[in-house]
Amino acid sequence: GLVGAAVQRSPEGGNAGRNGGIAVDAARADHAHGRGRAVLLVVGVQDEQHVEGTLEDRIRNHDSRDSYVLSRFVAGLVFIHLVSGDLPRARAEAQRLQLVASDGRIRNTEAWSSYMAACAHLHANELAAASRHFEAAAGQRYVLETRPSIDALAGLALCHQLMRHPEEAANAAG
């Protein structure tokens, strides 16, 4: 899945070290394309701007034929902005992720972009928008991993409950 990972192009595995207050670990990952890549996991971010700058650099310099890699870089930005509470930027990056996923026909990432946009809207108390995005993510629950699928259904029910639509909330909850 997308959770917290950005794909690193370098072939090294193992510990990538500590830099700028960021704990990182690189491990090998095999993709459906048959190419192995190292996955850079950002464990603890103390210098958000450094990590954001690194991801933006990788977005600018990625192989334009590889939408999958680009989607992981953009997803990393969405997570950073969600965790830091920068909701307008999280929504903007989720929208960019949706475009990358759509262009690359990456269904799982399309579902994730809906889920992440829903979370940003929910945290901003934009319940109608959150509901639409949760509904889109829940509609792709068989493409999405189990946890965000369940969260999308719960988020949809929560939005309807907060908007005082108890019937819709009950239907969303199953």
Side-chain angles (χ1 to χ4, degrees):
L2 289 172
V3 180
V7 178
Q8 177 182 342
R9 287 206 169 274
S10 65
E12 305 89 35
N15 188 353
R18 291 183 180 270
N19 185 4
I22 306 164
V24 284
D25 184 41
R28 299 298 295 167
D30 293 319
H31 295 289
H33 308 298
R35 296 175 296 190
R37 294 206 199 282
V39 176
L40 181 67
L41 299 170
V42 179
V43 177
V45 178
Q46 306 225 343
D47 186 355
E48 178 186 328
Q49 290 177 337
H50 176 75
V51 175
E52 185 179 345
T54 300
L55 287 171
E56 288 290 356
D57 286 343
R58 293 197 179 183
I59 288 168
R60 277 190 295 280
N61 298 317
H62 87 284
D63 181 348
S64 62
R65 297 168 294 173
D66 199 343
S67 297
Y68 182 83
V69 171
L70 176 60
S71 72
R72 293 331 188 236
F73 293 148
V74 176
L77 289 173
V78 179
F79 278 110
I80 286 170
H81 296 310
L82 279 173
V83 170
S84 71
D86 190 346
L87 302 177
R89 292 186 70 195
R91 287 190 303 269
E93 293 300 339
Q95 197 170 40
R96 177 162 59 158
L97 183 60
Q98 177 65 41
L99 292 172
V100 169
S102 181
D103 288 347
R105 296 187 196 139
I106 311 169
R107 291 187 61 213
N108 178 264
T109 304
E110 287 180 30
W112 268 102
S113 67
S114 295
Y115 173 75
M116 289 190 267
C119 291
H121 284 291
L122 178 62
H123 288 286
N125 199 34
E126 298 166 347
L127 301 176
S131 176
R132 284 191 308 275
H133 288 287
F134 277 133
E135 189 167 357
Q140 300 178 71
R141 65 185 166 275
Y142 300 109
V143 173
L144 200 55
E145 288 81 6
T146 304
R147 181 60 191 240
S149 294
I150 293 169
D151 287 354
L153 291 167
L156 182 58
L158 176 64
C159 287
H160 284 303
Q161 190 69 30
L162 291 171
M163 291 187 295
R164 302 181 193 271
H165 302 142
E167 298 81 26
E168 288 93 340
N171 290 337

